[in-house]
Amino acid sequence: MKIQQISQPAFQAKTRFLSPKQLEGVKNLLTRMNSETVTRTDGMGFCSTVTNKISIKKNSFTDTRMFFDKIPADQQMTKDSMFAFGDKVLVVINNKTGQITDWRKPFFKSWGCILKKIDKYITLFNKHYDDNTIVKKSRHSIIGFTSRGASEIEKAQRNLNG
């Protein structure tokens, strides 16, 4: 009796993308968040305050790009952004392509439900962005040296070490 070989099934997740409308909404959010960036410099150092997260109740959108200054709108779509819905669902999105690159979700939660929720919150964040009673904005400050400041520190350190 001849036994035929069975090929191994390839278990791979389906590649998922945001719709063009959703991706345009994400671009609008990222551009608005970056427009609130405030950078102060004295020539030696800088202090930059960046809006990196917006939320409505337990649902949030996080910008992971870490731009220290305002950038043009045509350069906004780099790196990743994250949507978090409560404690259970986290979706990481490539800003340029709209591809969902990573996620954490309950097993029985459908992708259709999650994509509808993403669409709902993109619309809500864009609609109520300037209303601080609905949308909470999280900002963080970054302090560092300019290239001139760093070279002055290196020069002082060399003089100190002899």
Side-chain angles (χ1 to χ4, degrees):
M1 176 176 187
K2 188 173 182 181
I3 299 174
Q4 292 187 351
Q5 185 175 0
I6 301 173
S7 63
Q8 293 291 329
F11 292 106
Q12 293 180 338
K14 180 180 176 183
T15 305
R16 299 185 192 288
F17 291 88
L18 295 183
S19 70
K21 178 185 169 214
Q22 291 171 332
L23 191 57
E24 188 62 34
V26 167
K27 180 179 181 179
N28 189 24
L29 283 174
L30 293 172
T31 303
R32 290 170 91 175
M33 290 169 77
N34 184 255
S35 70
E36 293 181 348
T37 300
V38 177
T39 304
R40 293 178 299 280
T41 183
D42 62 359
M44 300 288 275
F46 71 93
C47 177
S48 184
T49 304
V50 180
T51 302
N52 68 326
K53 181 179 179 181
I54 54 177
S55 59
I56 297 176
K57 297 181 182 174
K58 288 188 173 186
N59 307 300
S60 65
F61 175 75
T62 306
D63 176 11
T64 63
R65 300 173 302 167
M66 298 296 288
F67 290 133
F68 300 141
D69 204 359
K70 293 180 184 177
I71 60 168
D74 62 336
Q75 297 174 8
Q76 293 285 331
M77 302 305 278
T78 60
K79 300 192 181 177
D80 296 325
S81 296
M82 293 187 304
F83 278 99
F85 303 112
D87 297 331
K88 304 254 186 220
V89 178
L90 178 71
V91 178
V92 178
I93 299 162
N94 180 310
N95 292 331
K96 190 172 192 84
T97 63
Q99 180 181 358
I100 297 175
T101 57
D102 199 8
W103 62 88
R104 184 184 75 220
K105 73 177 194 70
F107 183 74
F108 291 109
K109 187 88 157 167
S110 72
W111 274 107
C113 179
I114 290 172
L115 291 173
K116 284 180 187 175
K117 210 166 195 179
I118 288 173
D119 191 43
K120 173 185 170 184
Y121 278 97
I122 288 173
T123 304
L124 281 174
F125 285 136
N126 277 312
K127 183 177 180 181
H128 300 290
Y129 186 82
D130 295 320
D131 188 353
N132 293 333
T133 60
I134 297 174
V135 176
K136 305 292 182 210
K137 298 176 186 175
S138 299
R139 295 179 175 93
H140 68 274
S141 294
I142 303 159
I143 299 172
F145 293 106
T146 62
S147 56
R148 179 178 158 220
S151 64
E152 289 291 325
I153 288 175
E154 287 175 3
K155 181 179 168 184
Q157 190 175 21
R158 278 186 295 224
N159 289 341
L160 185 65
N161 290 338

